[in-house]
Amino acid sequence: MALYRYAQIPNGSKRIGKGIVFGWSGNTISLTVNLEVSGEGATAPLAAEIGKTIETIWNASFTDNYRVSSTVNTRYRGQGNEDSDRTQIYVKHDDATTCVHTLPTLYYAYMEYNINSETTASWTPAHEFGHLLGLDDKYEEGIRSRINSMYGGPRSTSVVPGWAGNIMAAHLGTLQKRNLQELFALHAFELVTFVEDGFNEMWGLWDSGVRKLYTGW
Ligand SMILES: [Zn+2]
């Protein structure tokens, strides 16, 4: 028999998307982000605003030393080929909902940013950026509303209990400590064995539940 638990890896650095590096030490996260903004609705000022919104909102400190800082480099592309080392943001004038596609994995994620009455340049990019990091929405939405949202129709959503006012739950919601905790769970946890059957060297016997000593638990 063996018992396992998950533990946060003390520090590290991971490339989790095109031009997106997730670094951490203790409860502090450092994000390095390279974005490219293009499309019929894109302009250099909008590209800069999108980057600024992400950088501003994703710089925050919370209790228990949870902290996140972001360095966002945003490039506006009018013509020319995509830079494969930057996560792409395609801007359109469209009533459809702004969203992030993450298939098949986070590494291939891109954002569709639709300029309409639902997008707020000083907030929406920061919510969508949460998806680029792997976070899910914290609201539930029925199938009828989902279909409506694809065509600019009315939406009806309800917040997942306990997540009221959160950036992933509500329009103009704020970044909170639990968003960082989810990011750690996604990117910086490892499975550790703390009790395992095996050879007990002290007694020279095979034993059940020999305690394996790991630092940090
Ligand atoms: Zn969302």
Side-chain angles (χ1 to χ4, degrees):
M1 190 193 77
L3 296 175
Y4 302 94
R5 71 182 183 91
Y6 284 93
Q8 193 168 310
I9 302 166
N11 57 73
S13 179
K14 258 186 201 176
R15 195 169 184 222
I16 60 169
K18 286 179 188 167
I20 301 181
V21 176
F22 179 92
W24 76 96
S25 178
N27 289 341
T28 296
I29 296 172
S30 308
L31 298 166
T32 306
V33 184
N34 292 288
L35 305 172
E36 189 166 81
V37 179
S38 66
E40 64 184 34
T43 61
L46 178 64
E49 191 173 10
I50 287 172
K52 185 79 191 150
T53 293
I54 295 169
E55 197 168 72
T56 301
I57 292 179
W58 286 87
N59 266 289
S61 300
F62 306 99
T63 55
D64 302 323
N65 298 317
Y66 280 93
R67 234 169 67 75
V68 60
S69 65
S70 303
T71 305
V72 182
N73 179 291
T74 312
R75 186 158 84 185
Y76 162 66
R77 176 165 57 83
Q79 306 280 321
N81 295 327
E82 289 184 9
D83 182 339
S84 58
D85 286 330
R86 290 170 181 270
T87 288
Q88 297 296 313
I89 300 177
Y90 304 111
V91 183
K92 285 194 289 185
H93 289 280
D94 193 316
D95 281 339
T97 310
T98 287
C99 60
V100 164
H101 298 266
T102 57
L103 293 174
T105 70
L106 208 52
Y107 192 82
Y108 296 95
Y110 63 92
M111 188 192 302
E112 280 178 8
Y113 187 88
N114 294 311
I115 300 172
N116 58 45
S117 60
E118 282 202 349
T119 41
T120 306
S122 61
W123 179 82
T124 304
H127 168 90
E128 299 303 332
F129 181 66
H131 292 310
L132 288 176
L133 300 176
L135 300 180
D136 287 329
D137 284 320
K138 292 297 179 186
Y139 58 80
E140 281 146 6
E141 182 171 19
I143 185 69
R144 182 183 294 267
S145 175
R146 281 175 197 270
I147 292 169
N148 275 345
S149 76
M150 290 164 63
Y151 303 101
R155 301 177 71 184
S156 82
T157 60
S158 59
V159 172
V160 174
W163 288 82
N166 189 272
I167 190 169
M168 300 314 291
H171 187 66
L172 305 183
T174 57
L175 185 66
Q176 297 168 351
K177 182 167 91 174
R178 52 198 158 171
N179 298 117
L180 305 197
Q181 290 171 323
E182 285 204 331
L183 288 176
F184 278 113
L186 278 169
H187 302 299
F189 269 37
E190 63 183 346
L191 192 63
V192 292
T193 313
F194 66 99
V195 176
E196 193 172 74
D197 295 345
F199 190 70
N200 184 327
E201 290 179 26
M202 183 189 283
W203 300 102
L205 295 168
W206 281 94
D207 198 3
S208 150
V210 172
R211 189 164 287 235
K212 288 200 160 181
L213 295 178
Y214 282 86
T215 53
W217 73 280

